[in-house]
Amino acid sequence: MREMISMVVVLTVLTAVSGGLLAAIKSGTELRIEEQVLKFQKAPAIAQIFTDVSNDPLAERFNVETEGTTLQVFPGKLEDGGTAVAFETKGKGGYGGDVGLMVGINTDNDQIIAVRVTTHSETPGLGARAKDDPSFVSQFADLSLEENLDLKNNNGSIDAMSGATITSQAVCLAAIQAQELYKKLKPEILKQIQ
Amino acid sequence: MAQSLAKEFTKGLWAELPPFRLVLGLCPVLAVTKTVENGLGMGIATTFVLVFSNLLVSMLRNVIPTKVRIACYIVIIATFVTIVEFLAQAFAYPLFLALGIFIPLIVVNCIVLGRAEAFASKNTPVMAIADGLGIGIGFTLSLGAIGLVREFLGAGTITIWGGTPVFDMTSVFANFQPFGFMIEAPGAFVALGLMLAVMNLIPSK
């Protein structure tokens, strides 16, 4: 009996201390990790989407509130005088968790400029091609936001990557989510850009 | 005391060098040694976990009941692995991306659990730290060495830190063609096997 109690007590104390320690370290590093993700994931994606902007989308980023969550928006001034925005959405149901997708939209004609995959944990060589090989995500370029951004077998206009249907579906879900968010938040976003 | 402390430390560097002498912990050895930088990064992460888990296991060795000792060791090891994961994300993000799934997998690295069970649970904290440091540094240098062979042959470069190569074959021979096989997974087996063969030519004692 004494042994039983000591086993329970030791394991409980150990896991409790471990949980507390990890929570403290997580909140301590959170801000820095966010900065690093911005620098190494979002910044390269934005640079590839906005190839010819005259401003610094990273420095001019602003937040838009939507249903309790905050959407980080990166504005871009296009060479032809138009404006564009980029923001990130998370596609649920990838092979290794959510797939982050940075979507750039021209606010003048509501067309997608380009999209790029950011954070993901897909299989290298299969799903990870969504990020490494831009031929899949380049299908989204210049599509109108009125278009169905789903895969072709769901009556959409996007060809899935062979061998990586689940990842392709997650990317499409992220794009559709971006489409809906943009339609809902466009007035708000335009107000903030001015 | 000082002599046995030195002995515990140096055994990890040669006589019990993990990947070559004990042939343990081969999963990260084969998977992350594409470049010297990745190998060293993985080694440092493992050393951190090894030293702190050894210290904790040794300090608690009279408190932990024998029947649940493995569960306790895993909790301790997993805690430090998660700390390493947070720190890598916060301070070495490109390395975190390169190592990917292999950082969380340190939890099931048999070197870490093996040292906790075979050494730290029977020795004083100071000895346990010496043991962890020795094995960890030996592991780091081994990973670096395999990374050096694979990167040098497979890509013609040597990258120690920060993603920029300190040496590039193309600057010596302009038409250098890398032996790409060494970067692929089968090349890891070949590199490890050849290095093991060389190590076996040298007596361990």
Side-chain angles (χ1 to χ4, degrees):
Chain A
M1 193 60 200
R2 266 187 64 95
E3 201 195 356
M4 273 291 274
I5 295 172
S6 89
M7 285 192 324
V8 173
V9 169
V10 168
L11 266 180
T12 313
V13 171
L14 206 57
T15 41
V17 170
S18 145
L21 184 67
L22 289 181
I25 291 186
K26 182 174 167 53
S27 61
T29 51
E30 212 158 28
L31 272 179
R32 245 201 98 92
I33 292 176
E34 234 166 72
E35 266 171 42
Q36 300 279 307
V37 170
L38 188 73
K39 187 170 155 200
F40 288 104
Q41 297 276 21
K42 294 182 184 172
I46 290 170
Q48 284 177 18
I49 291 170
F50 294 151
T51 45
D52 55 353
V53 290
S54 53
N55 66 332
D56 181 358
L58 283 177
E60 290 172 25
R61 65 180 188 267
F62 56 84
N63 292 328
V64 176
E65 298 290 334
T66 161
E67 286 164 7
T69 56
T70 318
L71 183 71
Q72 204 172 34
V73 180
F74 302 92
K77 288 192 172 54
L78 297 175
E79 207 114 273
D80 58 12
T83 53
V85 291
F87 55 88
E88 191 188 25
T89 52
K90 296 274 183 193
K92 294 258 180 280
Y95 212 77
D98 294 352
V99 178
L101 189 72
M102 185 65 77
V103 182
I105 297 170
N106 187 330
T107 54
D108 297 328
N109 56 10
D110 288 352
Q111 265 188 2
I112 293 179
I113 299 171
V115 306
R116 286 289 181 275
V117 173
T118 51
T119 46
H120 72 91
S121 26
E122 303 303 295
T123 321
L126 291 169
R129 275 180 299 159
K131 179 170 186 159
D132 305 334
D133 171 8
S135 64
F136 170 68
V137 284
S138 64
Q139 294 181 76
F140 289 94
D142 300 330
L143 285 183
S144 156
L145 279 181
E146 298 309 317
E147 205 115 8
N148 184 351
L149 298 177
D150 214 331
L151 292 177
K152 275 199 175 142
N153 52 357
N154 295 337
N155 302 320
S157 42
I158 305 297
D159 274 320
M161 287 181 290
S162 58
T165 319
I166 292 177
T167 309
S168 311
Q169 184 66 63
V171 171
C172 287
L173 283 179
I176 292 166
Q177 204 184 327
Q179 193 176 20
E180 284 162 6
L181 266 177
Y182 176 76
K183 279 179 188 161
K184 198 168 69 184
L185 298 173
K186 190 182 177 188
E188 184 98 1
I189 292 174
L190 286 181
K191 212 189 303 167
Q192 292 234 28
I193 288 182
Q194 307 310 303
Chain B
M1 178 69 190
Q3 202 181 11
S4 64
L5 200 64
K7 199 181 119 243
E8 295 308 342
F9 176 72
T10 51
K11 74 169 190 284
L13 299 180
W14 189 250
E16 291 184 21
L17 195 61
F20 293 127
R21 292 293 185 206
L22 307 178
V23 199
L24 278 183
L26 292 190
C27 171
V29 168
L30 295 171
V32 303
T33 52
K34 283 183 184 169
T35 65
V36 185
E37 183 186 11
N38 289 0
L40 292 179
M42 184 69 199
I44 291 167
T46 312
T47 306
F48 176 88
V49 175
L50 201 52
V51 168
F52 282 98
S53 69
N54 259 10
L55 173 66
L56 258 274
V57 167
S58 172
M59 276 162 62
L60 299 174
R61 71 186 185 284
N62 296 324
V63 183
I64 294 174
T66 23
K67 281 185 181 162
V68 289
R69 66 181 192 285
I70 299 292
C72 293
Y73 299 163
I74 291 286
V75 170
I76 293 171
I77 295 167
T79 306
F80 286 110
V81 169
T82 315
I83 292 175
V84 164
E85 208 182 344
F86 283 136
L87 293 181
Q89 277 187 74
F91 297 101
Y93 200 84
L95 189 68
F96 168 77
L97 286 183
L99 297 180
I101 186 71
F102 293 100
I103 295 182
L105 280 182
I106 298 175
V107 176
V108 289
N109 189 319
C110 51
I111 299 172
V112 182
L113 193 56
R115 292 332 286 179
E117 167 75 12
F119 193 90
S121 62
K122 301 183 184 94
N123 288 283
T124 59
V126 180
M127 295 288 256
I129 290 181
D131 174 74
L133 262 183
I135 296 276
I137 292 173
F139 187 62
T140 307
L141 295 179
S142 311
L143 286 183
I146 300 171
L148 184 72
V149 170
R150 288 182 68 195
E151 191 189 351
F152 183 70
L153 294 176
T157 55
I158 295 173
T159 317
I160 305 287
W161 201 252
T164 38
V166 291
F167 173 81
D168 197 339
M169 270 303 261
T170 49
S171 62
V172 185
F173 303 107
N175 53 0
F176 171 74
Q177 283 298 320
F179 182 37
F181 169 75
M182 293 307 281
I183 290 291
E184 306 296 330
F189 282 96
V190 173
L192 179 69
L194 291 176
M195 290 176 78
L196 261 176
V198 172
M199 286 290 286
N200 280 344
L201 289 178
I202 314 165
S204 63
K205 292 274 155 63

